[in-house]
Amino acid sequence: MRNRPLIYMSRCFGFDKCRYDGKDFPCDFAEKLKKHAEILHWCPETAIDLGCPREKIRVIRIDGKNLLFQPETGKFFTEKMNEYSDNYLKTLENIDGFFLKAKSPSCGVVNTKLFEGKSEKIISYEASGFFAERVLALFPDTPVITELDLENKEKTKDFLTKVFLKYGRIPACFSEFFS
């Protein structure tokens, strides 16, 4: 048995400067998780060779289908992202939770902009990124949270409770996340 729960965390939470703008996204909650969990981290966008820094990608809808598109280059990355995400996620065993980057076209969970086709018109702020969609489909019973959810202490507590229960026990450090 592992000594700590296993959590997947978006790589930009202080592991690597892998965001589109060449920066990382420091997060106190991520630092606490690193102390009390085994962490796996991966960046779907750099995994599909988008580089860093890179031109932005976005979720667009054409003919009722969501696609991953890079406006500056005119390239689509939908198929490549889905393939890489599925291949990576299928390697995960005994994962206890996911902490994903909000609003991301790869990792956002029901908080990502959705554009109408190749236009600048936003038709929703409630899409999910392509990696996050695969996480939700392949791990329906595994808790998922983003840094935006951390603003709600009940959501945070619910996430941590589910993670530690899935792992098998709630440790004494549990209250540290709320101090």
Side-chain angles (χ1 to χ4, degrees):
M1 182 164 172
R2 290 176 278 120
N3 293 329
R4 304 182 302 172
L6 182 61
I7 298 176
Y8 168 89
M9 191 181 300
S10 293
R11 183 173 279 167
C12 59
F13 287 130
F15 291 101
D16 194 9
K17 295 179 186 308
C18 58
R19 288 173 37 98
Y20 73 93
D21 58 6
K23 298 177 182 175
D24 64 354
F25 191 88
C27 173
D28 290 339
F29 183 78
E31 294 306 313
K32 287 178 184 175
L33 276 179
K34 290 175 189 178
K35 293 177 190 173
H36 302 292
E38 293 180 37
I39 304 295
L40 297 174
H41 54 87
W42 189 65
C43 175
E45 294 175 25
T46 57
I48 62 170
D49 301 322
L50 286 176
C52 186
R54 60 185 163 275
E55 300 296 337
K56 288 183 182 181
I57 57 174
R58 61 171 57 161
V59 180
I60 67 171
R61 180 165 292 158
I62 297 177
D63 296 329
K65 185 174 180 181
N66 288 2
L67 303 167
L68 192 59
F69 179 67
Q70 192 172 48
E72 288 77 8
T73 65
K75 294 180 182 177
F76 289 89
F77 293 93
T78 312
E79 191 174 311
K80 194 170 186 179
M81 178 64 77
N82 285 338
E83 180 182 323
Y84 272 74
S85 295
D86 283 345
N87 288 339
Y88 175 77
L89 290 168
K90 287 176 182 175
T91 69
L92 300 185
E93 294 181 17
N94 301 315
I95 194 84
D96 297 307
F98 290 87
F99 180 36
L100 302 176
K101 178 69 184 87
K103 299 183 180 182
S104 163
S106 55
C107 293
V109 181
V110 195
N111 54 29
T112 300
K113 293 177 188 173
L114 176 62
F115 292 82
E116 184 176 295
K118 296 180 181 180
S119 77
E120 295 298 315
K121 182 180 178 186
I122 298 170
I123 57 176
S124 174
Y125 289 88
E126 297 178 351
S128 287
F130 282 80
F131 179 72
E133 282 185 343
R134 301 310 304 145
V135 165
L136 296 171
L138 295 171
F139 298 89
D141 298 323
T142 303
V144 177
I145 198 168
T146 72
E147 78 281 6
L148 291 181
D149 297 323
L150 301 176
E151 296 169 10
N152 181 322
K153 286 193 180 198
E154 286 304 311
K155 279 187 179 181
T156 306
K157 186 176 182 179
D158 184 57
F159 170 77
L160 290 170
T161 300
K162 288 177 179 175
V163 164
F164 286 115
L165 287 175
K166 192 168 180 359
Y167 165 65
R169 63 184 168 89
I170 295 180
C173 71
F174 189 79
S175 61
E176 179 182 320
F177 287 95
F178 304 100
S179 55

